[in-house]
């Protein structure tokens, strides 16, 4: 890498001793590029085997990549930690201004260790760390207000990121998220709870610097090529126009939209919560992550009257995307867009993962209907499909945790169903609540195999959607295809290129861009490094007790028909076995 | 010709203009950027674009103690870096906040109205107009 590139700096922060230091780790970035690659190495170095995910020894790693600040769409920050939700690898990606801010602050990765005795937030400006007392922010009802107060107290307007947790993180809800710039998240595997366990309310980061490139003329040339593709190509149009919410009607028409806890895969009232409906009635603003011209972030403006005073209104700006619409919409039988937006807003204020929350509430609704959970256990809250009021009350109680039932819900559907029963319809894969794609066997097998049990790990849903029935891939081929995609995605998430731009950043383009950042890697080197990173993740998972063989496949996933027919358990297990064999074989070869 | 803000309500906050400004000066990153995009108190309320509006009687020029800043013919301000002592008076004098600062060299960074950033504004926020056309200083 280029000798004066600040990317090689790893900023270590000790919350216990309120100390920090910078360490040069050129070796890490040269071997594994950045982002996910560097983060898994640092996690392996810093996270003791078998540690308590909510203990002070669990580190929080944040990493960005060499293209951040140089090229458009290299706009993600990768977080790694041990997940309090699954007890295994925690990995989460966030956009907003997080990546650019870390790059401009003069480092490539941040390692946060220890725990504070009192609430604090970190202010990192130009590589200097300030420990700020956050006692006045702790317990605050809305994470939006927390963001506003930090904003007013810190410098760096326009060039900073403000990451913060809500009450969910403080209360250690195992799927609490960290929110950045009001609308972007480190979602899924509970980074918010890890923040909360360290009494870390937020992290604000800013900086302003120049970055080296190896050839200025070529840099400008390649920049323009990538930029034009991003703004002009059809590849990105979906994300511009309706945004990811476009998927609602697409998945519904093919019969792959999980509805009412996946009792069905078509929602008869999907039109009410479609991308088209939101665009027509509510779309109030579009936003972009820093250094991304696409602006996929869609914000709805919801105008509501106050009931106690006439001619008095409030207008809330609420972000929507496909996944939250699935989880807090169709999965809960909610077709009223206003109801969905209110529930979404509540979940944002609480700072808990929208997908997990929706899937858990869907399970709780079915569990109540089947009589395994009583109304009194639910503190009198009635959960009925389509009724957002009950779901808003329940979401608040998940965070407050007044009794055993809500304490169980705060630990996820895998745990709740292991206590109360109803495993057959507890929709978690690898202990992580399922994403919104009931498209066929590849989608579910992909989430099971995926290192972070996310649909984004290897996009199995895309394999399903290309399946015309003409030639269906066998189990081994499917396992191979999923793993190959996942390994390539290790490169994208090490560059920290947004997955939405995967069509723009092919291997050739990546290789050219990296050369300008001082990393000379041919396309075959990239493939090798992708494999290495994936192997590092698998090693961490194995060390922490993960086994593909022991994964639970909820019966509901097998029973409810997909567009490709019913999934068979034996066929899915066969894919997992092949994946395991491939991973083991390559592990043996690596030694 | 000068740079103007056509409609800041269309701004999505991508900051492509900021990075473009640095590239135009042969730099990567943001230290050299002479244009800024920030939210109006939270992203939900939209953005403001801060950049020099090429004032007729620029206060930044008036307060420079070493005559390092001069009006350019037709567009904006020119900095004579050899005369600049980095005192920061120009920054304080500009109530638009359009005098940016490069901490690495301790000098002001002021837009020269070249129009390069306009090519990288994907949503029509920025425009390059004839001098004299009414435009927003900051939008």
């Amino acid at each position: 890498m280029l000798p004066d590139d600040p990317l090689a700096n790893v900023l270590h922060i000790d919350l216990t001793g309120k100390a920090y230091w910078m360490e040069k780790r050129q070796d890490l970035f040269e071997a594994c590029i950045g982002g996910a690659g560097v983060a898994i190495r640092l996690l392996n170095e810093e996270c003791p085997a078998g540690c308590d995910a909510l203990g002070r020894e669990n580190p929080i790693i944040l990493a960005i990549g060499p293209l951040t600040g140089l090229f458009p769409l290299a706009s993600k920050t990768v977080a790694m930690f041990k997940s309090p939700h699954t007890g295994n690898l925690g990995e989460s990606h966030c956009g907003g201004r997080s990546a650019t801010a870390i790059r401009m602050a003069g480092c490539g990765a941040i390692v946060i260790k220890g725990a504070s005795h009192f609430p604090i937030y970190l202010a990192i400006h130009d590589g200097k760390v300030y420990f700020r007392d956050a006692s006045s922010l702790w317990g605050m009802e809305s994470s939006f207000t927390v963001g506003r107060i930090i904003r007013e107290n810190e410098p760096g307007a326009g060039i900073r990121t403000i990451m913060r947790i809500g009450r969910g993180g403080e209360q250690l809800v195992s799927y609490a998220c960290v929110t950045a710039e009001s609308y972007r998240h480190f979602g899924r595997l509970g980074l918010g709870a890890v923040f909360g366990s360290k009494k870390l309310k937020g992290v604000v980061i800013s900086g302003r610097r120049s970055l080296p490139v190896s050839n200025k003329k070529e840099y400008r040339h390649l920049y323009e090529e990538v930029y034009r593709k991003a703004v002009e190509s059809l590849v990105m149009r979906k994300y511009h126009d309706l945004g990811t919410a476009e998927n609602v009607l697409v998945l519904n028409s093919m019969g792959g939209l999980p509805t009412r806890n996946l009792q069905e895969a078509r929602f008869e009232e999907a039109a009410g919560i479609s991308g088209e409906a939101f665009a027509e009635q509510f779309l109030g603003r579009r936003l972009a992550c820093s250094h991304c011209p696409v602006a996929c972030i869609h914000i709805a403006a919801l105008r509501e009257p106050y009931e106690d005073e006439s001619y008095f209104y409030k207008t809330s700006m609420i972000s929507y995307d496909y996944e939250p619409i699935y989880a807090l919409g169709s999965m809960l039988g909610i077709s009223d867009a206003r109801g969905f937006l209110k529930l979404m807003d509540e979940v944002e204020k609480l700072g808990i993962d929208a997908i997990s929350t929706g899937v858990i509430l869907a399970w709780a609704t079915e569990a109540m209907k089947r009589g395994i959970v009583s109304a009194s256990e639910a503190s009198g809250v009635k959960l009925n499909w389509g009724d957002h009021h009950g779901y808003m009350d329940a979401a608040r109680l998940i965070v407050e945790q007044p009794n055993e039932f809500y304490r169980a819900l705060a630990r996820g559907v895998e745990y709740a169903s292991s206590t109360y029963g109803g495993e057959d319809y507890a929709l978690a894969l690898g202990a992580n609540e399922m994403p919104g794609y009931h498209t066929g066997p590849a989608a579910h097998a992909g989430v099971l195999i995926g290192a972070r049990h996310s649909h984004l790990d290897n996009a199995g849903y895309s394999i399903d959607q290309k399946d015309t029935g003409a030639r269906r891939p066998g189990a081994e081929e499917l396992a191979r295809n999923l793993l190959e995609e996942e390994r390539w995605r290790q490169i994208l998430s090490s560059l920290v290129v947004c997955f939405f731009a995967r069509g723009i950043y092919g291997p050739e383009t990546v290789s050219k861009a990296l050369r300008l950042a001082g990393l000379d890697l041919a396309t075959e080197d990239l493939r090798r490094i992708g494999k290495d990173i994936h192997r590092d993740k698998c090693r961490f998972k194995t060390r922490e007790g993960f086994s593909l063989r022991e994964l639970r496949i909820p019966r509901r996933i097998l029973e409810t028909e997909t567009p490709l027919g019913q999934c068979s358990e034996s066929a899915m297990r066969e894919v997992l076995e092949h994946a395991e064999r491939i991973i083991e074989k390559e592990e043996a070869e690596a030694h | 010709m000068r740079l103007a803000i056509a409609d800041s309500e269309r701004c999505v906050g991508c900051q492509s203009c900021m990075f473009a400004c640095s590239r135009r000066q042969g730099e990567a990153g943001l230290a050299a950027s002479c244009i800024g995009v920030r939210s109006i108190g939270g992203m939900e309320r939209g953005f403001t674009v801060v950049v020099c509006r090429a004032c007729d009687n620029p206060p930044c020029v008036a307060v420079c103690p070493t005559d390092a800043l001069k009006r350019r013919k037709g567009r904006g301000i020119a900095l004579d870096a050899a005369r600049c002592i980095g005192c920061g008076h120009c920054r304080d004098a500009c109530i638009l906040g359009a005098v940016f600062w490069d901490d690495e060299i301790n000098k002001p960074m002021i837009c020269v109205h070249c129009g390069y950033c306009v090519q990288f504004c994907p949503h029509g926020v920025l425009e390059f107009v004839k001098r004299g056309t009414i435009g927003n200083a900051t939008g």
Side-chain angles (χ1 to χ4, degrees), chain A residues 69-70 97 151 158 181 183 208-211 216 220 223-224 227-228 285-288 290-293 317, chain B residues 9 12 14-15 19 23 26-28 30-31 33 37 41-42 44-47 104 116 119-120 122-123:
Chain A
L70 292 186
R97 286 186 177 154
R151 192 162 71 225
E181 284 65 273
Y183 300 117
R208 194 177 158 90
R209 65 178 57 236
S210 49
L211 298 171
K216 285 179 180 172
R220 272 176 69 165
Y223 187 104
E224 286 186 26
Y227 179 86
R228 295 293 159 217
R285 191 172 287 285
R286 275 174 47 202
L287 303 175
S290 182
H291 218 167
C292 169
M317 302 298 277
Chain B
E9 283 296 325
V12 295
C14 73
Q15 306 187 318
F19 289 98
R23 281 198 312 288
E27 295 271 344
L30 289 176
S33 187
V37 173
E44 65 273 19
R45 299 170 68 183
F47 297 92
E104 292 173 3
Y116 185 73
Q119 299 170 47
F120 293 90
H123 300 290

Side-chain angles (χ1 to χ4, degrees), chain A residues 153-451:
Chain A
N153 276 287
E154 293 294 333
I159 52 168
R160 65 189 170 193
T161 184
I162 303 177
M163 306 170 184
R164 68 272 198 174
I165 59 168
R167 289 277 293 141
E170 292 176 9
Q171 294 284 87
L172 309 179
V173 175
S174 68
Y175 44 93
C177 59
V178 173
T179 304
E181 284 65 273
S182 305
Y183 300 117
R184 298 290 92 188
H185 310 88
F186 289 102
R188 308 311 328 255
L189 299 165
L191 181 62
V194 180
F195 266 52
S197 72
K198 297 183 178 307
K199 291 270 191 294
L200 179 59
K201 186 65 185 173
V203 182
V204 50
I205 307 170
S206 78
R208 194 177 158 90
R209 65 178 57 236
S210 49
L211 298 171
V213 287
S214 63
N215 181 320
K216 285 179 180 172
K217 198 171 155 206
E218 277 180 32
Y219 166 56
R220 272 176 69 165
H221 183 75
L222 184 62
Y223 187 104
E224 286 186 26
E225 191 184 311
V226 171
Y227 179 86
R228 295 293 159 217
K229 275 189 197 161
V231 292
E232 286 161 14
S233 81
L234 287 173
V235 190
M236 303 301 287
R237 174 168 290 173
K238 167 179 169 181
Y239 304 112
H240 287 236
D241 294 354
L242 293 176
T244 56
E246 180 186 270
N247 279 338
V248 174
L249 291 186
V250 175
L251 280 154
N252 194 51
S253 69
M254 71 173 72
L257 178 68
T259 301
R260 297 183 199 90
N261 204 32
L262 195 59
Q263 294 180 89
E264 300 116 294
R266 272 205 176 87
F267 188 28
E268 66 286 356
E269 295 171 342
I273 49 167
S274 63
E276 289 80 354
F278 281 109
E280 200 174 299
Q281 299 162 38
F282 297 101
L283 181 57
R285 191 172 287 285
R286 275 174 47 202
L287 303 175
C289 293
S290 182
H291 218 167
C292 169
V294 178
C296 77
I297 308 166
H298 286 55
I299 310 288
L302 177 67
R303 179 173 175 256
E304 295 171 274
Y306 280 88
E307 281 168 12
D308 58 342
E309 192 176 349
S310 53
Y311 297 100
F312 215 65
Y313 292 87
K314 74 166 174 179
T315 302
S316 310
M317 302 298 277
I318 305 158
S319 93
Y320 63 89
D321 259 303
Y322 171 68
E323 293 290 342
I325 295 174
Y326 134 72
L328 300 173
S330 67
M331 200 62 164
L332 300 176
I334 293 175
S335 60
D336 167 21
R338 300 177 74 85
F340 160 78
L341 287 170
K342 287 183 201 173
L343 177 57
M344 179 75 210
D345 197 37
E346 188 63 39
V347 166
E348 290 271 39
K349 282 179 190 157
L350 294 166
I352 49 179
D353 181 72
I355 301 178
S356 288
T357 304
V359 173
I360 290 160
L361 291 174
W363 171 84
T365 308
E366 194 170 341
M368 280 183 92
K369 294 204 180 301
R370 289 173 182 267
I372 64 169
V373 174
S374 67
S376 67
E377 278 173 308
S379 301
V381 174
K382 290 195 182 71
L383 299 177
N384 288 307
W385 303 124
D387 175 15
H388 66 273
H389 299 286
Y391 292 125
M392 287 170 72
D393 290 340
R396 283 189 284 265
L397 290 169
I398 284 175
V399 170
E400 282 175 30
Q401 298 166 44
N403 63 20
E404 203 52 51
F405 176 62
Y406 286 105
R407 277 195 287 280
L409 294 189
R411 293 177 64 176
V413 80
E414 187 84 16
Y415 178 83
S417 63
S418 72
T419 307
Y420 288 86
E423 289 99 333
D424 287 351
Y425 50 91
L427 293 165
L429 300 168
N432 196 21
E433 286 71 21
M434 73 171 278
Y437 297 88
H438 192 56
T439 51
H444 297 305
V447 174
L448 288 163
I449 292 170

Side-chain angles (χ1 to χ4, degrees), chain A residues 356-543:
Chain A
S356 288
T357 304
V359 173
I360 290 160
L361 291 174
W363 171 84
T365 308
E366 194 170 341
M368 280 183 92
K369 294 204 180 301
R370 289 173 182 267
I372 64 169
V373 174
S374 67
S376 67
E377 278 173 308
S379 301
V381 174
K382 290 195 182 71
L383 299 177
N384 288 307
W385 303 124
D387 175 15
H388 66 273
H389 299 286
Y391 292 125
M392 287 170 72
D393 290 340
R396 283 189 284 265
L397 290 169
I398 284 175
V399 170
E400 282 175 30
Q401 298 166 44
N403 63 20
E404 203 52 51
F405 176 62
Y406 286 105
R407 277 195 287 280
L409 294 189
R411 293 177 64 176
V413 80
E414 187 84 16
Y415 178 83
S417 63
S418 72
T419 307
Y420 288 86
E423 289 99 333
D424 287 351
Y425 50 91
L427 293 165
L429 300 168
N432 196 21
E433 286 71 21
M434 73 171 278
Y437 297 88
H438 192 56
T439 51
H444 297 305
V447 174
L448 288 163
I449 292 170
R452 54 190 173 130
H453 306 294
S454 158
H455 60 294
L456 295 169
D457 282 331
N458 44 41
Y461 59 89
S462 164
I463 296 179
D464 287 331
Q465 283 167 269
K466 284 180 196 143
D467 187 335
T468 56
R471 198 193 74 77
R472 198 146 281 174
E476 185 173 359
E477 188 183 346
L478 192 51
R480 237 171 238 296
N481 289 347
L482 288 167
L483 286 172
E484 192 178 335
E485 179 66 20
E486 182 154 357
R487 285 160 177 168
W488 174 247
R489 288 184 177 219
Q490 302 313 308
I491 295 300
L492 294 176
S493 55
S494 297
L495 302 161
V496 299
V497 163
C498 176
F499 286 165
F500 291 173
R502 60 190 178 275
I504 294 171
Y505 280 97
E508 298 288 337
T509 304
V510 169
S511 184
K512 276 196 236 169
L514 280 175
R515 200 165 310 131
L516 291 163
L519 287 168
D520 207 358
L521 297 169
T523 54
E524 57 272 23
D525 295 322
L526 296 173
R527 298 209 183 275
R528 172 182 53 77
I529 294 171
K531 255 186 188 181
D532 290 347
I533 296 168
H534 185 250
R535 193 168 48 237
D536 281 347
K537 286 190 187 177
C538 291
R539 280 178 187 163
F540 182 90
K541 292 195 74 169
T542 308
R543 189 193 86 176

